[in-house]
Amino acid sequence: MSRRIGITILGSTGSIGVSTLDVLQRHADRFRVIALTAHRDVEALFQQCLIHEPAYAVMADPNSAGRLRDRLQSAGRPVEVLAGAAGLEQVAALPEVGYVMAAIVGAAGLLPTLAAAQAGKRVLLANKEALVMAGPLFMAAVREHGAELLPIDSEHNAIFQCLPPTFATEGLDAVGVRRILLTGSGGPFRVTPLDQLLDVTPEQACAHPNWRMGRKISVDSATMMNKGLEVIEAHWLFGAAPERIEVVIHPQSVIHSMVEYQDGSVLAQLGNPDMRTPIAHALAWPRRLTSGVPFLDFTQMAKLEFQAPDFARFPCLKLAFTALEEGGTAPAILNAANEIAVQAFLDQKIRFTDIAAVVQYALEQVNRHAATSLAVILDADAQARVAANNWIAARVGGRHE
Ligand code: NAD
Ligand code: MG
């Protein structure tokens, strides 16, 4: 029996997936890749299978699964290829898997991430959308099934590092926390004149000043919807009321977030902006591992700046706070409408500034309910997608000009 920890990476071909494999390769004596998954990029997953030799590979798209199976067979590789949502859930819950990296982008990540929690795994959570959609359900599954939840999102990983381990059982008040200070760079349009935002292109929106990420989260960073989703994520992960979470713009992305205590102390986690640090932290916790990230050189750091976010520039951030305060299925509606709007912007069907309008429209159109079951949440998600697509169809038809 191998004593190495078995790992499934959901979304292994993405930005977080690739960074995870980089860290794992540095510690092949400790970890073993059991399963890799992708949406429909057959070539990328095929190449990863050659290098990392997983027992399973899953393509969410069934046609792609057939093509991957053929390629692996011709190459003489004994990898079992699974397909679709069922395949993703299966590899998230395999008995030989100890840790699951949840790095699928968007709502598609919810069910397999939930399956990992229900199987009592250590869940390394990058897929913030799962928690935004189904926070209470997801946290209950973690508790009921004895899963370990380690945040990968750099801000939440930083906050986790600045909290005492007892926060999860005792609550933030008992451990003396006053506020959580969630930092964000402000993205590529922090100082762009507001009237120029009308005409920004997908390439400009995806050119983040400090982080290299997938296209969806890059656009979310440019609208600051990403920070809004992270406020909701922090609410569920840390049991923090919305008024206790403050967003602080910090353009250099050296401080990854902070926790302020009642006695006036503020603890911060610092490091170069490279996701391999939170990934290594979550893999090793409560110990530490090398990550390949260059160490900070304080003598080269010019200055660290901070400012308050401007809701007029970043209406999506405001919408996310509103959705969190409204509760129930409102965050799921916000998330789904945002996914549709971001894709439409990337496809050049709508303007950058339309993203907030689409989300606001969906929040107004779709009835909110208490988020009591997965069925209710998935229904809210589906309805929000319809509402968002209606707005976009009308826009493309010229009625929102
Ligand atoms: P990405 O677009 O680079 O990769 C997404 C991965 O998910 C790919 O492997 C893709 O094949 C897979 N995928 C996409 N659609 C799918 C579907 N419908 N079904 C199954 N698989 C699908 O995204 P990313 O930047 O790696 O982000 C992944 C997640 O991590 C997101 O939730 C993001 O918010 C979060 N995150 C990313 C970063 C970062 O630095 N990239 C930082 C913090 C949090
Ligand atoms: Mg983040």
Side-chain angles (χ1 to χ4, degrees):
M1 264 282 282
S2 162
R3 300 185 58 182
R4 294 184 297 165
I5 297 165
I7 306 225
T8 283
I9 305 178
L10 301 169
S12 64
T13 55
S15 158
I16 293 286
V18 168
S19 293
T20 304
L21 286 167
D22 180 281
V23 177
L24 292 176
Q25 258 189 321
R26 295 166 193 273
H27 301 285
D29 55 324
R30 310 224 1 206
F31 302 103
R32 188 164 59 107
V33 176
I34 305 284
L36 297 175
T37 87
H39 187 202
R40 50 168 86 97
D41 190 345
V42 173
E43 188 54 32
L45 196 54
F46 174 69
Q47 292 300 334
Q48 288 186 339
C49 287
L50 296 186
I51 298 167
H52 301 282
E53 303 184 319
Y56 300 86
V58 187
M59 302 278 347
D61 171 51
N63 293 331
S64 307
R67 287 194 286 130
L68 180 66
R69 200 171 287 124
D70 293 345
R71 296 236 26 208
L72 286 163
Q73 243 162 28
S74 323
R77 296 300 179 125
V79 182
E80 186 167 338
V81 178
L82 305 174
L88 295 174
E89 289 181 46
Q90 188 180 331
V91 296
L94 291 166
E96 63 269 43
V97 166
Y99 296 1
V100 175
M101 166 57 80
I104 290 174
V105 61
L110 173 60
L111 295 179
T113 306
L114 199 56
Q118 286 164 342
K121 307 300 185 194
R122 176 178 289 200
V123 181
L124 285 64
L125 186 72
N127 176 225
K128 66 192 86 187
E129 296 92 341
L131 207 51
V132 168
M133 292 173 72
L137 249 68
F138 188 79
M139 296 307 288
V142 167
R143 277 191 301 274
E144 266 168 47
H145 300 278
E148 279 180 319
L149 185 55
L150 275 296
I152 293 298
D153 215 345
S154 58
E155 296 77 3
H156 305 74
N157 184 270
I159 294 160
F160 184 89
Q161 294 197 46
C162 296
L163 286 170
T166 48
F167 88 86
T169 45
E170 296 181 13
L172 293 184
D173 272 333
V175 299
V177 171
R178 183 167 175 268
R179 280 186 312 168
I180 283 176
L181 301 163
L182 201 62
T183 54
S185 69
F189 306 135
R190 185 175 56 86
V191 293
T192 306
L194 285 183
D195 57 346
Q196 289 180 21
L197 291 182
L198 267 178
D199 298 316
V200 301
T201 63
E203 273 53 50
Q204 289 170 319
C206 289
H208 195 280
N210 307 333
W211 298 94
R212 299 189 63 192
M213 311 180 283
R215 282 167 82 75
K216 192 263 180 180
I217 184 176
S218 296
V219 176
D220 285 348
S221 298
T223 60
M224 280 195 85
M225 178 58 94
N226 182 50
K227 212 48 54 184
L229 299 177
E230 290 182 357
V231 168
I232 302 173
E233 184 184 12
H235 168 72
W236 294 118
L237 278 176
F238 306 118
E243 60 275 13
R244 279 207 181 187
I245 307 171
E246 186 162 324
V247 173
V248 180
I249 303 239
H250 164 45
Q252 290 79 18
S253 301
V254 168
I255 292 179
H256 298 306
S257 277
M258 300 177 268
V259 176
E260 180 183 65
Y261 287 88
Q262 283 161 0
D263 60 6
S265 301
V266 178
L267 301 192
Q269 186 258 0
L270 286 72
N272 275 313
D274 187 320
M275 291 306 292
R276 290 176 299 173
T277 294
I279 291 166
H281 171 266
L283 285 170
W285 185 83
R287 299 188 178 80
R288 297 275 175 175
L289 279 178
T290 56
S291 64
V293 176
F295 294 103
L296 267 188
D297 181 350
F298 282 86
T299 63
Q300 294 301 308
M301 224 180 277
K303 58 181 172 183
L304 299 182
E305 297 166 294
F306 305 94
Q307 53 192 225
D310 172 0
F311 285 134
R313 177 178 292 275
F314 299 116
C316 285
L317 180 57
K318 180 80 190 149
L319 288 169
F321 267 107
T322 307
L324 176 57
E325 273 148 20
E326 286 177 355
T329 51
I333 296 166
L334 170 100
N335 177 66
N338 180 58
E339 282 187 28
I340 295 292
V342 169
Q343 192 56 53
F345 167 66
L346 288 171
D347 295 341
Q348 296 182 291
K349 290 185 189 152
I350 61 171
R351 291 179 161 153
F352 180 74
T353 45
D354 290 336
I355 295 172
V358 172
V359 174
Q360 184 168 354
Y361 178 77
L363 283 168
E364 287 163 4
Q365 291 295 308
V366 180
N367 288 330
R368 283 188 307 282
H369 298 283
T372 44
S373 71
L374 208 49
V376 171
I377 292 165
L378 295 176
D379 185 53
D381 175 280
Q383 286 192 45
R385 285 169 201 269
V386 171
N389 277 319
N390 286 344
W391 193 102
I392 292 160
R395 168 72 166 77
V396 172
R399 276 184 278 140
H400 282 286
E401 281 294 347

